[in-house]
Amino acid sequence: MVTPSRKQREIQEREAQILKLARPILLREGYQPLSMDRLATLMEYAKGTLYNHFPNKEEIVLALAIESMELRLKMFEAASIASRVPRERLLAIGAACELYTQSCADHFAIEDWIRNSTIWNKSSTARQDLIRQCEGRCMSIVSGIVRDAVAHGDLKLENDLTAEEMIFGFWAINYGSQVLAATSPSLVSLGVPNAPRAIRHHCFTLLNGFGWQPMGDFADHIKAMDRFGDLLRKQFADQLTNR
Amino acid sequence: MVTPSRKQREIQEREAQILKLARPILLREGYQPLSMDRLATLMEYAKGTLYNHFPNKEEIVLALAIESMELRLKMFEAASIASRVPRERLLAIGAACELYTQSCADHFAIEDWIRNSTIWNKSSTARQDLIRQCEGRCMSIVSGIVRDAVAHGDLKLENDLTAEEMIFGFWAINYGSQVLAATSPSLVSLGVPNAPRAIRHHCFTLLNGFGWQPMGDFADHIKAMDRFGDLLRKQFADQLTNR
Amino acid sequence: MVTPSRKQREIQEREAQILKLARPILLREGYQPLSMDRLATLMEYAKGTLYNHFPNKEEIVLALAIESMELRLKMFEAASIASRVPRERLLAIGAACELYTQSCADHFAIEDWIRNSTIWNKSSTARQDLIRQCEGRCMSIVSGIVRDAVAHGDLKLENDLTAEEMIFGFWAINYGSQVLAATSPSLVSLGVPNAPRAIRHHCFTLLNGFGWQPMGDFADHIKAMDRFGDLLRKQFADQLTNR
Amino acid sequence: MVTPSRKQREIQEREAQILKLARPILLREGYQPLSMDRLATLMEYAKGTLYNHFPNKEEIVLALAIESMELRLKMFEAASIASRVPRERLLAIGAACELYTQSCADHFAIEDWIRNSTIWNKSSTARQDLIRQCEGRCMSIVSGIVRDAVAHGDLKLENDLTAEEMIFGFWAINYGSQVLAATSPSLVSLGVPNAPRAIRHHCFTLLNGFGWQPMGDFADHIKAMDRFGDLLRKQFADQLTNR
DNA sequence: CATGAATGAGCCTTCATTCAT
DNA sequence: TATGAATGAAGGCTCATTCAT
């Protein structure tokens, strides 16, 4: 019973190794340059061995995305219990987003590939389901905080806005700014040298605009986010490989 | 002087024709299915002729993006003079964004391709500069409105926020929500059935959060945006092929 | 002595199981889709185990053919004793051929694979010999009937024709028509809607042409063949899976 | 106008060259060993060039078959006018079959490949139609001779046999014997050293069995077939590459 | 014996790019 | 300048066979 488990462990490890080698190629060079041939050469294994792990190239991409989304989910879970005050819990989620997109920039960028329909459609439903689950659980965590705030009387949702729609706004502004920052040819020359701070300010303005209690000033907001950021950074220190 | 100008005109026209044929393929089928062979066959010209116009495939993609960004720039210019009230001018820009992403969805999607590093790096600096110029001019128009509002006393920028940084927030939330709406496998099932309305609400909340005068209620906000949308729709009727 | 014989029995059974699984794949899908991987999965044994039974893929095909040819041999043996009148015994062989090609169409089609030189050359001489033996015994049975007829004075072989050469004619016409009927894209549209009846008629004409006694008319010929067909169908009922 | 025609001629020639190289591989080694890679190497052209001529491997096989069937059709046409006596015209067709299968054995064997459904289904309908046409015209020529004989009173078709069904018998016996002779592992050891002569004898017996006038003896039959064989051999001398 | 992961040559096909005409 | 045949590297994938366990 010892021998098979060792072999299985080796196989598991190789699967991780494949993903580890594939990630930077997909990120830095794109989908086409990520070829099975090249991967096999880097692995110093035969091409066929790759296909014992993943039935096709697309599944590798999805597996990468799943790894990334699971990390983000863990960060969200950790953030969601970082305080008892709903507004602060949302700030902690914001800090998790920042940490994820900045210090796990690779993971963040990988997630984008599942939005490619060609890749999505060629992959197995098993992996597709995993991804949908991750997304759903992230959303649940955050919308749960909103509902909690409403229940505590910290926040009133007006104009028929649902908790999920409110979250969607924060999601969009964070996601959009990160993509733009990562890919816009010239954000700095456009007059936006410090995009993350700008986004923090917008989130702060939004929260106050919604009347979410307790409202502090922007300095408090920044201080809180930095604190939560440090907290998460410690918890996930071993996974923050970038930068 | 007559002959060469005719020839130049012919070349210009053929260039436009190439782009016209390439656009739907890139959009509907992706980068790989857009092949020089196929383009040449559709053009009823030889493949070599294509290479007289564009030194490689990537430049075609960039040229497409430039066409698209120029259309957006025109829309921004039109929107920026749709009112004399700064807040309304910004709303008009927002309406332009909505119109562009929804009714010129093809153009919006094309812009994404320049974010692909493989394509960007293989293209000429000449075309790269054109793109950067377009982006800069868009930003100038919008940040100009913000500065105008500050000058008129409608808005105070606090916490050292610059006009460009403020605009970046609106840009991010609009861009982010559009990409998410276009590509997320399950936005509806996540509890966000009407993303555009949610985004409008967030922009409304943001503007009020910044204290930008004159503040109306959300119904006024919506009414104004619809009005500007109709205005622009008429002006650009011949370019709104989608929907 | 008990243990090894049980083991041997198990091995025999597994060998039969392999062939049982391989046959429909080879028939319905061809040589390439018959892969060792697939066979092993269906068997629920490891691929290596397959190689303990058959040294390569080609041998499996030959083993299949041998199974089929042995069934045919049995049918020929049964047919050859279905009457005491030589001409009728030959008719019974004809009926056996019809039954084999029509109601054991799978077996008939399998035999064709050994005519593929790639497969033949890669297989062991042991299995090649088995096939040659089968063929030889079939031929002996039928040529024996001819010689019997000559001995009884029912038939005179003229022009130096040997019994085997005479049989070869019947073999060729039956085999040829079956292959053509099975594979010609357009036999019906060529004006041959009922190939089996045409072949019966040609055999009838041939027998009469040779002056083989006793000569009846075509209706008698058909009646006799149907009778022998029914007889064999009963004897081999459990092996006639098709139709 | 001279240059393009030269180029076109070169292309035509290369197409013929491809087929010339492909034929022996398909024949001697089978379908799988005939690979585009190998063909390109033998051609000393790049693989892509092959694909400028044939859109896929299957089309090469069909093109080979068409070449072969066209040769046979020409032989049939020549044979069908070699005499004015219907029975002799049929003998001439028989001689054409012999010549084709023996001296153009490669062509004969190639035709078999179109019976492979995988290949047939992957090929273009254009080439499929060509093949069907060839088959139909061959059948027309021969069944025309039968009908001519009936019209002249040389032959009576009894038992509801149609001209096409009668021809089918001759087709089957000739085709069957040729396939068996070409592929049976041991025809000689089975006691059939001179298969062609046996087939001639059977055809002779069949013709007489049908009462087709004028009936000579077997020696006459052989003499006539040899005469027609020589005639055709001269006419098609440059195409009889084998043996 | 049974296992099944590893192998790696080989398959068919695509396509951006070149260059002689 | 226009042409389009030729190129040939590269791509994703398959599968018979081996061999350490």
Side-chain angles (χ1 to χ4, degrees):
Chain A
M1 279 304 169
V2 177
T3 326
S5 89
R6 178 171 61 74
K7 259 209 168 171
Q8 280 185 358
R9 225 181 317 125
E10 276 178 21
I11 289 171
Q12 288 275 342
E13 274 160 22
R14 200 166 37 246
E15 207 147 307
Q17 198 199 341
I18 293 171
L19 297 179
K20 198 174 171 182
L21 289 169
R23 190 182 297 276
I25 299 176
L26 181 61
L27 277 167
R28 245 63 80 186
E29 307 179 46
Y31 183 71
Q32 271 218 76
L34 172 67
S35 81
M36 300 302 267
D37 262 302
R38 185 171 168 190
L39 225 40
T41 306
L42 285 174
M43 286 277 294
E44 297 185 299
Y45 273 97
K47 229 189 314 185
T49 307
L50 250 61
Y51 280 89
N52 284 342
H53 292 278
F54 298 97
N56 54 49
K57 192 177 151 183
E58 286 79 12
E59 292 270 299
I60 293 181
V61 176
L62 245 68
L64 283 173
I66 289 170
E67 275 195 348
S68 295
M69 297 183 83
E70 278 172 349
L71 171 59
R72 187 163 54 142
L73 180 57
K74 270 191 218 149
M75 285 190 175
F76 272 41
E77 282 168 347
S80 72
I81 55 172
S83 166
R84 297 171 60 189
V85 183
R87 178 163 170 148
E88 290 201 337
R89 292 170 66 201
L90 196 68
L91 260 50
I93 296 283
C97 285
E98 284 185 358
L99 192 63
Y100 184 71
T101 48
Q102 284 164 28
S103 297
C104 316
D106 287 3
H107 286 283
F108 175 73
I110 286 288
E111 287 188 24
D112 247 33
W113 282 100
I114 62 169
R115 305 186 186 283
N116 180 308
S117 61
T118 313
I119 293 173
W120 182 261
N121 293 329
K122 266 206 177 180
S123 59
S124 68
T125 51
R127 281 211 165 79
Q128 290 177 2
D129 286 344
L130 273 176
I131 283 176
R132 268 190 283 253
Q133 269 175 40
C134 265
E135 267 199 337
R137 288 172 66 191
C138 278
M139 179 55 103
S140 298
I141 289 170
V142 193
S143 57
I145 295 174
V146 175
R147 265 186 282 270
D148 200 31
V150 173
H152 280 68
D154 291 357
L155 171 68
K156 278 193 186 56
L157 285 178
E158 292 170 340
N159 300 313
D160 299 321
L161 203 71
T162 67
E164 280 79 8
E165 284 172 341
M166 181 177 180
I167 291 311
F168 178 63
F170 286 94
W171 184 13
I173 198 169
N174 275 285
Y175 172 75
S177 67
Q178 294 302 341
V179 173
L180 292 173
T183 62
S184 186
S186 51
L187 213 52
V188 171
S189 73
L190 287 173
V192 187
N194 191 351
R197 185 180 177 278
I199 296 309
R200 284 182 169 194
H201 195 281
H202 282 83
C203 289
F204 166 74
T205 309
L206 261 181
L207 287 172
N208 285 0
F210 282 116
W212 191 323
Q213 300 300 325
M215 307 192 210
D217 61 13
F218 186 46
D220 298 331
H221 183 96
I222 285 191
K223 220 180 296 171
M225 290 204 71
D226 285 343
R227 197 177 70 240
F228 291 124
D230 290 344
L231 189 77
L232 293 166
R233 207 181 312 274
K234 269 173 212 151
Q235 272 188 58
F236 292 89
D238 50 333
Q239 323 223 24
L240 310 183
T241 46
N242 317 107
R243 224 136 314 171
Chain B
M1 276 303 177
V2 177
T3 327
S5 89
R6 178 174 58 77
K7 268 209 167 165
Q8 279 186 355
R9 224 182 317 126
E10 277 178 18
I11 289 173
Q12 288 275 340
E13 275 162 22
R14 198 154 50 226
E15 210 148 307
Q17 199 198 341
I18 293 171
L19 297 179
K20 198 175 171 182
L21 291 169
R23 189 183 298 277
I25 299 175
L26 181 61
L27 278 166
R28 240 66 75 189
E29 307 178 44
Y31 183 70
Q32 269 223 78
L34 173 67
S35 77
M36 301 302 264
D37 251 309
R38 188 171 167 187
L39 226 39
T41 306
L42 286 174
M43 282 282 291
E44 297 183 305
Y45 272 97
K47 243 188 303 188
T49 308
L50 250 60
Y51 279 87
N52 287 337
H53 291 276
F54 298 96
N56 55 48
K57 195 177 151 183
E58 286 79 12
E59 292 271 299
I60 294 180
V61 177
L62 244 68
L64 282 173
I66 289 170
E67 276 195 346
S68 294
M69 298 182 84
E70 279 171 350
L71 171 59
R72 187 161 57 146
L73 180 56
K74 273 192 216 148
M75 283 192 177
F76 273 40
E77 283 168 348
S80 73
I81 56 172
S83 166
R84 296 172 61 189
V85 183
R87 178 161 170 151
E88 291 200 336
R89 292 170 65 200
L90 195 68
L91 259 51
I93 296 284
C97 285
E98 285 184 358
L99 193 64
Y100 184 72
T101 47
Q102 285 164 28
S103 298
C104 314
D106 287 3
H107 288 283
F108 177 73
I110 286 285
E111 287 187 25
D112 247 34
W113 283 99
I114 62 170
R115 305 188 186 282
N116 181 308
S117 62
T118 314
I119 292 174
W120 182 261
N121 294 329
K122 267 206 175 183
S123 60
S124 68
T125 50
R127 279 211 165 78
Q128 291 177 0
D129 286 345
L130 272 175
I131 283 176
R132 271 190 280 256
Q133 269 175 42
C134 260
E135 270 198 333
R137 290 172 64 192
C138 278
M139 180 55 104
S140 298
I141 288 170
V142 194
S143 57
I145 295 173
V146 175
R147 266 186 282 272
D148 200 30
V150 173
H152 279 69
D154 291 357
L155 170 70
K156 277 193 185 55
L157 285 178
E158 292 171 338
N159 302 313
D160 298 322
L161 203 72
T162 67
E164 279 78 8
E165 285 172 338
M166 182 176 181
I167 290 311
F168 177 65
F170 287 93
W171 185 13
I173 198 170
N174 274 285
Y175 172 75
S177 67
Q178 294 300 343
V179 172
L180 291 174
T183 60
S184 185
S186 49
L187 211 53
V188 172
S189 74
L190 286 173
V192 186
N194 190 351
R197 184 180 176 277
I199 296 309
R200 282 183 170 194
H201 195 281
H202 283 83
C203 289
F204 166 75
T205 309
L206 262 182
L207 287 172
N208 285 2
F210 281 117
W212 191 324
Q213 301 299 324
M215 306 193 212
D217 61 14
F218 186 45
D220 297 330
H221 181 95
I222 285 189
K223 221 182 295 173
M225 290 204 70
D226 284 343
R227 196 177 70 238
F228 291 124
D230 290 343
L231 190 76
L232 292 166
R233 207 181 311 272
K234 269 174 213 152
Q235 273 187 59
F236 292 89
D238 50 333
Q239 323 226 21
L240 309 183
T241 47
N242 317 108
R243 222 138 316 169
Chain C
M1 277 301 175
V2 176
T3 327
S5 89
R6 178 174 59 76
K7 267 206 169 169
Q8 278 187 356
R9 224 183 315 127
E10 276 178 19
I11 289 172
Q12 288 276 340
E13 274 162 23
R14 199 155 50 226
E15 210 148 304
Q17 200 199 342
I18 294 171
L19 297 178
K20 197 175 172 183
L21 291 169
R23 189 183 298 276
I25 300 175
L26 181 61
L27 278 166
R28 241 66 76 189
E29 308 178 44
Y31 183 71
Q32 269 223 77
L34 173 67
S35 77
M36 300 302 265
D37 250 309
R38 189 172 167 186
L39 226 40
T41 307
L42 286 173
M43 282 281 291
E44 296 183 304
Y45 271 96
K47 243 188 304 188
T49 308
L50 251 60
Y51 279 87
N52 287 336
H53 291 276
F54 298 97
N56 55 47
K57 195 176 149 182
E58 286 79 12
E59 292 271 300
I60 294 180
V61 176
L62 245 69
L64 282 174
I66 288 170
E67 275 195 346
S68 294
M69 298 182 84
E70 277 171 351
L71 171 59
R72 187 162 55 144
L73 180 57
K74 272 191 218 149
M75 283 191 176
F76 273 39
E77 282 168 347
S80 72
I81 55 172
S83 167
R84 297 171 60 189
V85 183
R87 179 162 168 148
E88 290 199 338
R89 291 169 66 201
L90 195 67
L91 258 52
I93 295 284
C97 284
E98 284 184 359
L99 193 64
Y100 184 72
T101 48
Q102 284 164 29
S103 296
C104 313
D106 287 4
H107 288 282
F108 177 73
I110 286 286
E111 287 188 25
D112 248 31
W113 282 100
I114 63 169
R115 305 188 186 282
N116 181 308
S117 61
T118 314
I119 292 174
W120 182 260
N121 294 328
K122 266 206 174 182
S123 59
S124 67
T125 50
R127 279 212 166 78
Q128 291 177 0
D129 287 345
L130 271 175
I131 283 176
R132 270 191 281 256
Q133 269 176 40
C134 260
E135 271 198 333
R137 289 172 64 191
C138 279
M139 180 55 103
S140 299
I141 288 169
V142 193
S143 58
I145 295 173
V146 174
R147 265 187 283 269
D148 200 31
V150 173
H152 280 68
D154 291 357
L155 169 71
K156 277 193 183 57
L157 285 178
E158 291 170 340
N159 301 313
D160 298 323
L161 203 72
T162 67
E164 279 78 9
E165 284 172 340
M166 181 177 183
I167 290 311
F168 178 64
F170 285 95
W171 185 13
I173 198 169
N174 274 285
Y175 172 75
S177 66
Q178 294 300 343
V179 173
L180 291 174
T183 60
S184 185
S186 50
L187 210 54
V188 171
S189 74
L190 286 173
V192 186
N194 191 349
R197 184 181 177 277
I199 295 311
R200 284 182 169 193
H201 194 281
H202 282 83
C203 289
F204 166 74
T205 309
L206 261 181
L207 287 173
N208 285 1
F210 281 117
W212 192 324
Q213 300 300 325
M215 304 195 214
D217 62 12
F218 187 45
D220 298 330
H221 182 96
I222 285 190
K223 221 181 297 173
M225 289 204 71
D226 284 344
R227 196 176 72 238
F228 291 125
D230 290 343
L231 190 76
L232 293 166
R233 207 182 311 273
K234 269 173 213 152
Q235 272 186 57
F236 292 89
D238 51 333
Q239 322 225 22
L240 309 183
T241 47
N242 314 110
R243 223 138 313 171
Chain D
M1 280 305 168
V2 176
T3 326
S5 88
R6 177 170 62 73
K7 259 209 166 169
Q8 281 185 357
R9 225 181 317 126
E10 277 178 20
I11 290 170
Q12 289 274 342
E13 275 161 22
R14 199 166 36 245
E15 208 147 308
Q17 199 199 340
I18 293 171
L19 297 179
K20 200 175 171 183
L21 289 169
R23 190 182 298 276
I25 299 176
L26 182 61
L27 277 167
R28 243 63 79 188
E29 309 179 45
Y31 182 71
Q32 270 218 77
L34 172 68
S35 82
M36 300 301 265
D37 261 302
R38 184 171 169 189
L39 225 40
T41 307
L42 285 174
M43 285 279 292
E44 295 185 303
Y45 272 96
K47 232 188 311 186
T49 307
L50 249 61
Y51 279 88
N52 285 342
H53 292 276
F54 298 97
N56 54 49
K57 191 178 153 183
E58 286 79 11
E59 292 271 298
I60 293 182
V61 176
L62 245 67
L64 282 173
I66 289 170
E67 275 196 347
S68 295
M69 296 184 85
E70 279 172 348
L71 172 59
R72 185 163 56 142
L73 180 56
K74 271 193 218 147
M75 285 190 174
F76 272 41
E77 283 168 346
S80 72
I81 55 172
S83 166
R84 297 171 61 187
V85 183
R87 178 163 169 147
E88 291 201 336
R89 291 170 66 199
L90 195 69
L91 259 50
I93 296 283
C97 284
E98 284 185 358
L99 191 64
Y100 184 72
T101 48
Q102 284 163 29
S103 296
C104 314
D106 287 3
H107 286 283
F108 176 73
I110 286 287
E111 286 188 24
D112 246 33
W113 283 99
I114 62 170
R115 304 186 187 282
N116 180 308
S117 61
T118 314
I119 293 173
W120 182 261
N121 293 329
K122 266 206 176 181
S123 59
S124 68
T125 50
R127 281 210 164 82
Q128 291 176 1
D129 287 344
L130 273 175
I131 282 176
R132 269 191 281 253
Q133 269 176 40
C134 266
E135 267 198 336
R137 290 173 63 192
C138 279
M139 179 54 105
S140 299
I141 288 170
V142 193
S143 58
I145 295 173
V146 176
R147 266 186 282 270
D148 201 30
V150 173
H152 279 68
D154 291 357
L155 171 69
K156 277 192 186 54
L157 285 177
E158 293 170 339
N159 299 313
D160 298 324
L161 204 71
T162 68
E164 279 80 8
E165 284 172 339
M166 180 176 183
I167 290 311
F168 178 64
F170 286 93
W171 185 14
I173 198 169
N174 274 284
Y175 172 75
S177 67
Q178 294 301 341
V179 173
L180 291 174
T183 61
S184 186
S186 50
L187 213 51
V188 171
S189 73
L190 286 173
V192 186
N194 191 350
R197 185 179 176 281
I199 296 308
R200 283 182 170 194
H201 195 280
H202 282 82
C203 289
F204 166 74
T205 308
L206 261 181
L207 287 172
N208 285 0
F210 282 116
W212 191 324
Q213 302 298 325
M215 306 194 210
D217 62 12
F218 186 47
D220 297 331
H221 182 95
I222 285 191
K223 221 181 295 170
M225 290 204 70
D226 283 344
R227 196 177 71 238
F228 290 125
D230 289 344
L231 189 76
L232 292 166
R233 207 181 310 276
K234 268 174 213 151
Q235 271 187 59
F236 291 90
D238 50 334
Q239 322 226 23
L240 310 182
T241 47
N242 316 108
R243 227 139 310 174

